[in-house]
Amino acid sequence: MSHVNEPLARHVLGDWGTSRLRLWLIERGEVAATREGPGIGALTNPPGDTLAALVAPWRSASETLHVVLSGMAGSRTGLLETDYVPTAADFDRWSRAARLTRVHDMPVAVAAGLRDESRQHAPDVMRGEDTQIFGAMQLEPALRAGSHLFVLPGTHSKWVGIENGAIARINTALTGELFALLHDHSILLKAGSAENADSAEHDAGFDAGLKRSQHLPERLLAALFEVRTAQLLRGRSRAWASGFLSGLLIGDEIAGMSALHASIRDVVIVADAQLAGLYERALAARGIRSRRFDGGACALAGLRQLYESVRGEFS
Amino acid sequence: MSHVNEPLARHVLGDWGTSRLRLWLIERGEVAATREGPGIGALTNPPGDTLAALVAPWRSASETLHVVLSGMAGSRTGLLETDYVPTAADFDRWSRAARLTRVHDMPVAVAAGLRDESRQHAPDVMRGEDTQIFGAMQLEPALRAGSHLFVLPGTHSKWVGIENGAIARINTALTGELFALLHDHSILLKAGSAENADSAEHDAGFDAGLKRSQHLPERLLAALFEVRTAQLLRGRSRAWASGFLSGLLIGDEIAGMSALHASIRDVVIVADAQLAGLYERALAARGIRSRRFDGGACALAGLRQLYESVRGEFS
């Protein structure tokens, strides 16, 4: 329970993803300091030791520092494995599945993930995007009413259907991971040639890739080779080809999700500015309106709300 | 010109791909010996040095050994860059574009590639599959009449339309390369867990992947994550998941190519036995008949024919 007139305790909020940990120190309700650390997928030490070392400068002998973590902290390789709460789940249902543990004498609450079993073929899951979505609803309460479709692009792009404040459907597209694999390890981009930051070339390639994705009866696998032939036989630059690959993948992702969610008109993008910009352009190219929220701000808002919900458990 | 009554010269035929070089020593029209070497993509020494070292045991002081090579030997990073002959091209047109060079005092003929400019968006190319296709027509002359659709699965799966003996259309799908990247480097298959050769599990996964690919409105990017959730939440084995990934990709490749070639009824598969078997099953699952030719036998037949065509140039 939140007690509005009581000053909030000094505490730490953390968004622990696969590739990055972001920590916020909260004092009297304000962000007093931030730190970054390695993601769960990049750890060399046990996660508890990593966490303790990062927050050590913020600890004092006279008080107990509370910590709330979301994301991959709750995965099997994280700090403490938490449940995947079945959808549809609103904030209360999700937050109640958070679990408390102790790390180097600090009480740490670890958020649950979410699991969508509604799909015909296979379940879908997420950890961390839940916090950002509930955070967006904190930042804009109007999102708690009615139906909304969110996209949280990244290594694994999450498309999330919201119904009256509850997370109802999850669909993951492997877009970001596939882009990285194809960009860095395939024959598609000429090895060795530097991808000088020619953003005009990249933009032109991105738009060409988006356009190509609009009519793709032969499907993605048969179009990817064009990234190579455009360089080999059409003299396209590596920056153009990289943009083309990006546009082709993001465009195809949106085309597929549009087929699943037939009535898409508006999409809420939660991402950093650069990725949000690409998705805005890609959605606009298909006539879909979008609005954006900053991913970090949403994570922080969701973690604040989660702390309010679980702080009674710490004492 | 071939002179039927004249004993064929002692010569070497070679299929030089990205990942492997296969050499055949021909004596009096028969294969007298074979050797293997590194592909063009795996060379550490200049290609000419590699070739000379491999054929050295077959050379004698008293005669000039002729060599005919196809495939990536004619690429920019190969032995001698040869043209991409525009489609539609029959054997005569393609073989006339082979070029002669000398390597460590041996005369070497290097085959051309083929380039299809008929596509709306981008050209498509091949080097080496041409030789196998013309070889299949040597092995079965009936393939020289009428329309046929070939598939040559591999790192880059080539779908090739034949019209009256000429290679008319080329479409490349990145299936094999994408499978390897996702299998070895993505989060889809649990790292570290050994993929014990449980072929029953792999087969069951392959069939499930084929089935999944039959109705895929959300497209490939949104289905790949199921490889992971099947293991994470459904207890599927790594062998099953690997088979599922394979079936999903091959099934999606065939679905896309079926959309391009609307009237597919029969497909000619040119591949090794293991890959041919997977494509046979995948085609059958979509009601498409297929027949297979061994890739090595086709390469050898095509190279024999190419030697007959260019041998006059050697003298």
Side-chain angles (χ1 to χ4, degrees):
Chain A
M1 290 293 272
S2 163
H3 302 271
V4 175
N5 294 322
E6 182 188 314
L8 290 167
R10 196 163 167 276
H11 58 274
V12 172
L13 305 176
D15 175 22
W16 209 341
T18 300
S19 54
R20 190 167 62 141
L21 166 61
R22 285 190 288 190
L23 292 168
W24 293 270
L25 173 65
I26 309 293
E27 286 179 350
R28 285 177 294 280
E30 302 294 329
V31 174
T34 63
R35 291 201 77 179
E36 294 215 353
I40 292 290
L43 289 178
T44 47
N45 294 318
D49 294 354
T50 299
L51 177 67
L54 283 165
V55 303
W58 295 341
R59 296 180 75 177
S60 73
S62 62
E63 62 166 356
T64 302
L65 193 63
H66 297 171
V67 180
V68 174
L69 299 173
S70 71
M72 297 300 285
S75 73
R76 202 167 295 174
T77 53
L79 203 59
L80 167 73
E81 191 173 2
T82 58
D83 287 342
Y84 290 111
V85 178
T87 57
D90 61 12
F91 175 80
D92 286 343
R93 189 145 160 239
W94 170 73
S95 65
R96 277 198 304 271
R99 289 287 164 265
L100 206 64
T101 184
R102 292 191 81 81
V103 173
H104 290 233
D105 226 36
M106 294 182 295
V108 178
V110 180
L114 284 170
R115 181 179 78 231
D116 176 3
E117 296 275 358
S118 72
R119 303 174 62 190
Q120 184 186 347
H121 302 287
D124 211 322
V125 294
M126 65 186 185
R127 284 195 183 276
E129 295 87 356
D130 31 44
T131 315
Q132 292 179 302
I133 293 166
F134 290 124
M137 294 186 210
Q138 280 292 106
L139 296 174
E140 177 151 332
L143 288 170
R144 284 181 222 152
S147 298
H148 302 279
L149 184 63
F150 280 65
V151 60
L152 299 94
T155 305
H156 299 154
S157 189
K158 303 286 181 183
W159 290 72
V160 185
I162 308 295
E163 300 292 339
N164 297 317
I167 292 176
R169 293 192 62 187
I170 305 170
N171 285 97
T172 301
L174 213 69
T175 317
E177 182 164 6
L178 201 63
F179 177 81
L181 286 172
L182 290 170
H183 185 278
D184 298 343
H185 299 293
S186 80
I187 52 81
L188 292 183
L189 291 157
K190 283 182 273 182
S193 64
E195 188 174 324
N196 50 56
D198 187 334
S199 64
E201 281 282 292
H202 187 281
D203 283 1
F206 185 77
D207 287 337
L210 285 183
K211 194 171 171 205
R212 181 71 182 95
S213 75
Q214 303 268 1
H215 180 66
L216 204 55
E218 66 271 65
R219 303 199 186 189
L220 187 61
L221 282 169
L224 288 170
F225 198 62
E226 294 170 17
V227 177
R228 179 173 167 86
T229 56
Q231 296 165 87
L232 189 66
L233 298 171
R234 289 288 184 266
R236 295 296 191 180
S237 68
R238 185 180 163 98
W240 187 95
S242 176
F244 181 79
L245 176 61
S246 177
L248 190 62
L249 292 178
I250 293 175
D252 196 54
E253 172 192 350
I254 293 171
M257 292 300 178
S258 297
L260 271 194
H261 302 268
S263 58
I264 298 183
R265 295 250 176 111
D266 285 276
V267 173
V268 179
I269 303 170
V270 177
D272 65 27
Q274 198 251 336
L275 212 44
L278 294 179
Y279 275 73
E280 274 176 356
R281 273 166 69 189
L283 288 162
R286 296 189 73 88
I288 300 169
R289 286 191 302 266
S290 65
R291 44 190 307 205
R292 65 161 94 171
F293 288 83
D294 176 69
C298 288
L300 182 58
L303 283 162
R304 281 173 178 276
Q305 187 187 14
L306 182 60
Y307 177 69
E308 285 305 302
S309 173
V310 301
R311 62 187 295 209
E313 311 284 329
F314 281 117
S315 45
Chain B
M1 288 292 272
S2 164
H3 302 272
V4 175
N5 294 322
E6 183 187 315
L8 290 166
R10 197 163 168 275
H11 58 274
V12 173
L13 305 176
D15 175 22
W16 210 340
T18 300
S19 54
R20 190 168 60 140
L21 166 61
R22 286 190 289 193
L23 293 168
W24 292 270
L25 173 65
I26 309 293
E27 286 178 352
R28 284 176 296 277
E30 302 293 329
V31 174
T34 64
R35 292 200 78 179
E36 294 216 352
I40 292 291
L43 289 178
T44 47
N45 294 319
D49 294 354
T50 300
L51 176 68
L54 283 164
V55 303
W58 295 342
R59 297 180 75 177
S60 74
S62 64
E63 63 167 354
T64 302
L65 194 63
H66 297 173
V67 181
V68 174
L69 299 173
S70 73
M72 297 301 284
S75 72
R76 202 165 295 174
T77 53
L79 203 59
L80 168 72
E81 191 173 3
T82 57
D83 287 343
Y84 289 112
V85 177
T87 57
D90 60 12
F91 174 81
D92 286 343
R93 190 147 158 237
W94 170 73
S95 65
R96 276 199 302 272
R99 289 286 164 263
L100 204 64
T101 184
R102 292 191 81 82
V103 173
H104 291 234
D105 226 36
M106 293 183 295
V108 178
V110 180
L114 285 171
R115 179 179 80 230
D116 176 2
E117 296 274 359
S118 72
R119 304 173 62 190
Q120 185 186 348
H121 301 288
D124 210 324
V125 294
M126 66 186 183
R127 283 196 183 276
E129 295 87 357
D130 31 43
T131 315
Q132 292 179 303
I133 292 166
F134 290 124
M137 293 186 211
Q138 281 291 106
L139 296 173
E140 178 153 330
L143 287 169
R144 285 181 221 152
S147 298
H148 303 279
L149 184 62
F150 279 65
V151 60
L152 299 95
T155 304
H156 299 154
S157 188
K158 302 287 180 183
W159 290 73
V160 184
I162 309 294
E163 299 294 338
N164 297 317
I167 293 177
R169 292 191 62 186
I170 305 169
N171 285 98
T172 301
L174 213 69
T175 315
E177 181 164 7
L178 201 62
F179 177 80
L181 287 173
L182 290 170
H183 185 278
D184 298 343
H185 298 295
S186 79
I187 52 83
L188 291 183
L189 291 157
K190 282 183 271 183
S193 65
E195 188 174 325
N196 49 57
D198 186 335
S199 64
E201 281 282 292
H202 186 280
D203 283 1
F206 185 77
D207 287 337
L210 285 183
K211 195 171 171 202
R212 182 69 180 98
S213 74
Q214 303 267 1
H215 180 67
L216 202 57
E218 65 272 64
R219 305 200 184 187
L220 187 61
L221 283 169
L224 289 170
F225 199 61
E226 293 169 19
V227 177
R228 180 174 167 86
T229 56
Q231 297 165 86
L232 189 67
L233 297 172
R234 290 286 184 269
R236 296 294 192 182
S237 69
R238 185 181 162 96
W240 187 96
S242 176
F244 181 80
L245 176 61
S246 177
L248 190 61
L249 291 178
I250 293 175
D252 196 55
E253 172 192 350
I254 292 171
M257 293 300 178
S258 297
L260 271 195
H261 301 268
S263 58
I264 298 184
R265 295 246 176 115
D266 285 277
V267 172
V268 179
I269 303 170
V270 177
D272 65 27
Q274 197 251 336
L275 212 43
L278 294 179
Y279 275 74
E280 273 176 356
R281 273 166 70 190
L283 288 162
R286 298 189 72 90
I288 300 169
R289 286 190 302 266
S290 66
R291 46 190 307 207
R292 65 160 95 170
F293 288 83
D294 177 70
C298 288
L300 182 58
L303 283 161
R304 282 174 178 275
Q305 188 186 14
L306 183 60
Y307 177 69
E308 284 306 303
S309 173
V310 302
R311 61 187 296 210
E313 312 283 329
F314 282 117
S315 44

